[in-house]
Amino acid sequence: MIQNLSLIVELIKIGIKREIFNASSLLSQTCFLFVLILIFSHLWDAVLQSGLKTVYTSSDFVWYFFVNELVLLSTPIVVKTIQEDIQTGDFEQKLIKPIFYPSFFFFQAFGTALVRYVFLMVLGTLFCLLINQALPNNTLGFISALFLVPVSIGVYLCILTCIGLLAYWIFDSTPIYWLISKATFILGGLFIPIFLYPLWLKIPCYVAPFSAILFGVSSLVFTDQLTKVVTSFGLLIFWGSVAFYCLRKLALLLIQKR
Amino acid sequence: MKTYIALILANLNSSMTHRTSFFLRVFMMFINNIIFFSLWFLLYSNVEEINGWNLKEVMMLYGILYFSFGFNSLLFHGFTRIPELVRTGALDVYLLRPKNVLFQIITSKCEPFGFGDIFTGIIHFLLSGVLISNSNILLFYFILGGMLIELSLSIIFFSIAFWIEHSDDISSKLYESMLSLSMYPDSIYKGVTKIIVFTIFPVVFLGAIPIRLLQEPTILFLIWYHLVAIVLVSLAVTIFYRGLKRYESGNLFSVFGN
């Protein structure tokens, strides 16, 4: 158990080091985040001017979007890496190593995600401050959201790792990734908070895991209730467990079938 | 010209080697686009217009964009290979051939998901009613214009590889920023952002300005549109060949099928 834990820590360290020395990746991710925040702030200004009835301001929506993007942009797209590993047959070599196969990718990617998260969180918050000229109305909710983001990244990463493993059966799992990423956008409430959705769409949103990954965390900027924080955390743990179970099942199936 | 057509056809054929993967990519891209557009349905279920743009106009905007992106992905997606070719020294192969280097590179890759984009474009045009109007020739003209502008900007972004080693991340994020910024009505942009998207990063000319020109053609915008296209094409060719002068040959031994 302890040996496994030290291996996991080493894998996370590799991911961290790799990203720290990849300045161009960090820089381009940050600039892309700035572009997205800029587009989104303009869009919400225009939507609110067009007569959308809501108690929230454009600035609230920008902070909400920032937390969502923090989750998505921090998470490395492991799908491609795993897919290449399976397509080239390199995965056979990793199966004999003393660590569970998907852990290789998951923990390295998690290390990378942690570096991106810290970097994007600091610079993104400064950029949002510059645009909004103020902190979020519910600063406490915003801070708790920032604390939940790494958990959210972990769950999303687990789902992406599962999709990567599917390449063993379907050869090219990129299209599945496209579908899941867009489902995350819609059912997770990336651009529009789910409470603004029509009733018929709210139900599938709350049933799917994506709302826990994005909306559950980012909607904390609209509230300062502690119960909401606990619920969001609980939902993340629940969906994380489900995703981990699926990942384990898929990996075992792959090992048996090869 | 015959050579390039043969090259494009050969690329299309090779992309169909894995039939399931090919059709999955096409289908999933179509679904992916439709899911993404549903965000606009959600926004417009709350408001009638956003800064003078109604849902049908946004559909037309996406129709033009999907057509341009789709055709470029199918025919000229080789620009994404520039960083890899420069880094590995594989550009030597293209330099030795008695044909235009830039054209050889851009026609060296075909992405089948372009079909998915084109199908989505057709759906958008049908739903927006633009195909029933008398402006079909003009519409086709603007799709070609959009292709040219997108291709030029992409060549500029990916040619950064001649100056910066490992620039893949920077180029990809610039490319994604171009796509993201072009997918919103130009009227939402204000202040500095508006100046940027109309001048140094002229993404509104990919879709938003053609819609304006289709609805109310003005001499000023028409001249501006053509000027932007000419300047961007010249800039892309100049930057690519300037970069090519900096290219240092590699020692890669390889046989190329295309």
Side-chain angles (χ1 to χ4, degrees):
Chain A
M1 180 71 183
I2 292 169
Q3 197 189 359
N4 260 353
L5 206 69
S6 64
L7 273 173
I8 288 169
V9 172
E10 284 308 313
L11 284 170
I12 293 177
K13 272 187 193 170
I14 292 171
I16 291 175
K17 278 180 191 166
R18 190 179 289 168
E19 192 61 14
I20 285 176
F21 291 112
N22 192 358
S24 71
S25 158
L26 279 175
L27 200 74
S28 52
Q29 293 277 1
T30 312
C31 292
F32 189 52
L33 176 70
F34 290 174
V35 170
L36 292 176
I37 291 173
L38 209 59
I39 295 174
F40 201 75
S41 76
H42 284 302
L43 179 69
W44 274 103
D45 277 343
V47 172
L48 291 175
Q49 274 169 19
S50 303
L52 177 82
K53 288 187 182 96
T54 172
V55 290
Y56 301 111
T57 61
S58 167
S59 142
D60 289 326
F61 288 110
V62 172
W63 286 109
Y64 168 85
F65 179 73
F66 165 58
V67 176
N68 280 339
E69 279 301 338
L70 194 57
V71 175
L72 295 177
L73 287 178
S74 302
T75 314
I77 316 297
V78 278
V79 178
K80 274 188 180 173
T81 327
I82 301 174
Q83 185 176 290
E84 270 174 31
D85 202 54
I86 291 174
Q87 284 173 352
T88 54
D90 285 353
F91 77 105
E92 295 273 1
Q93 291 176 334
K94 294 190 182 82
L95 291 178
I96 51 167
K97 293 192 176 173
I99 192 155
F100 194 45
Y101 173 65
S103 306
F104 259 110
F105 301 99
F106 180 84
F107 290 109
Q108 278 191 50
F110 193 70
T112 303
L114 285 179
V115 178
R116 284 189 192 172
Y117 161 68
V118 173
F119 202 77
L120 293 177
M121 181 183 66
V122 174
L123 293 177
T125 306
L126 290 174
F127 190 70
C128 284
L129 269 174
L130 190 78
I131 284 187
N132 293 328
Q133 305 282 321
L135 276 165
N137 285 333
N138 294 298
T139 317
L140 214 63
F142 173 66
I143 293 168
S144 48
L146 292 182
F147 274 108
L148 284 187
V149 167
V151 188
S152 197
I153 291 170
V155 180
Y156 191 48
L157 205 54
C158 220
I159 296 174
L160 295 186
T161 314
C162 285
I163 300 170
L165 291 180
L166 287 177
Y168 184 77
W169 291 274
I170 56 171
F171 184 74
D172 184 5
S173 56
T174 316
I176 309 286
Y177 164 69
W178 294 338
L179 200 67
I180 294 294
S181 71
K182 288 300 177 291
T184 315
F185 286 11
I186 301 289
L187 300 176
L190 171 65
F191 298 109
I192 308 163
I194 292 174
F195 54 72
L196 288 176
Y197 282 12
L199 193 65
W200 61 269
L201 193 61
K202 278 182 187 170
I203 299 156
C205 286
Y206 288 125
V207 172
F210 311 113
S211 63
I213 294 169
L214 294 184
F215 179 75
V217 178
S218 55
S219 62
L220 293 175
V221 300
F222 296 120
T223 177
D224 50 9
Q225 291 174 349
L226 189 70
T227 47
K228 184 83 174 58
V229 182
V230 177
T231 315
S232 300
F233 182 65
L235 276 170
L236 280 174
I237 295 296
F238 169 73
W239 283 114
S241 314
V242 174
F244 180 73
Y245 175 78
C246 295
L247 180 64
R248 198 177 152 74
K249 277 274 169 199
L250 265 176
L252 288 175
L253 212 66
L254 185 146
I255 295 165
Q256 281 168 9
K257 287 250 177 178
R258 87 182 209 281
Chain B
M1 198 64 195
K2 266 185 183 175
T3 321
Y4 297 122
I5 292 170
L7 258 173
I8 289 166
L9 288 175
N11 285 331
L12 270 173
N13 270 333
S14 77
S15 72
M16 289 175 87
T17 318
H18 298 282
R19 285 289 160 101
T20 320
S21 164
F22 174 86
F23 288 112
L24 199 65
R25 274 183 172 246
V26 174
F27 180 68
M28 288 299 196
M29 181 49 87
F30 175 72
I31 299 290
N32 172 58
N33 292 341
I34 297 291
I35 294 177
F36 185 75
F37 194 79
S38 61
L39 282 170
W40 287 102
F41 278 105
L42 290 172
L43 264 183
Y44 278 101
S45 66
N46 290 298
V47 288
E48 275 183 23
E49 270 192 359
I50 297 173
N51 274 14
W53 283 67
N54 60 33
L55 186 61
K56 279 197 172 179
E57 286 163 337
V58 178
M59 269 185 196
M60 275 165 66
L61 166 71
Y62 274 68
I64 290 187
L65 291 175
Y66 282 138
F67 254 94
S68 311
F69 298 161
F71 277 117
N72 270 342
S73 305
L74 273 181
L75 307 175
F76 308 117
H77 208 67
F79 59 79
T80 55
R81 297 183 63 220
I82 297 175
E84 178 210 329
L85 293 173
V86 173
R87 198 174 48 245
T88 58
L91 200 62
D92 293 2
V93 180
Y94 297 95
L95 291 171
L96 290 171
R97 292 179 186 162
K99 296 282 173 195
N100 183 294
V101 183
L102 180 57
F103 215 78
Q104 277 189 79
I105 293 173
I106 60 172
T107 53
S108 67
K109 190 179 173 189
C110 156
E111 276 294 354
F113 61 69
F115 282 117
D117 281 336
I118 294 169
F119 292 145
T120 327
I122 293 171
I123 302 282
H124 278 281
F125 282 148
L126 286 174
L127 288 176
S128 66
V130 69
L131 290 179
I132 306 158
S133 65
N134 300 323
S135 50
N136 287 351
I137 297 168
L138 210 57
L139 183 70
F140 183 69
Y141 182 75
F142 286 129
I143 289 171
L144 282 179
M147 275 176 73
L148 207 63
I149 293 172
E150 191 217 332
L151 190 62
S152 305
L153 282 169
S154 308
I155 291 170
I156 294 171
F157 299 152
F158 284 90
S159 294
I160 292 174
F162 288 113
W163 285 271
I164 303 171
E165 210 180 346
H166 299 290
S167 63
D168 307 49
D169 286 323
I170 300 171
S171 304
S172 308
K173 286 295 173 226
L174 277 168
Y175 181 70
E176 281 177 41
S177 301
M178 171 188 75
L179 299 188
S180 304
L181 282 163
S182 66
M183 286 180 161
Y184 297 87
D186 62 309
S187 60
I188 70 159
Y189 298 121
K190 298 272 182 312
V192 183
T193 320
K194 189 169 188 169
I195 299 169
I196 292 170
V197 295
F198 271 86
T199 54
I200 53 169
F201 204 61
V203 289
V204 288
F205 291 89
L206 285 167
I209 297 301
I211 300 294
R212 277 184 186 224
L213 288 170
L214 279 171
Q215 289 171 332
E216 285 170 50
T218 57
I219 296 290
L220 179 75
F221 268 121
L222 215 60
I223 294 172
W224 199 349
Y225 181 80
H226 286 89
L227 207 68
V228 166
I230 293 165
V231 168
L232 279 178
V233 172
S234 320
L235 209 62
V237 174
T238 313
I239 288 176
F240 177 81
Y241 282 102
R242 277 274 170 91
L244 200 59
K245 281 183 184 165
R246 293 174 57 90
Y247 172 68
E248 289 171 8
S249 177
N251 58 355
L252 185 79
F253 285 92
S254 174
V255 178
F256 280 72
N258 54 10

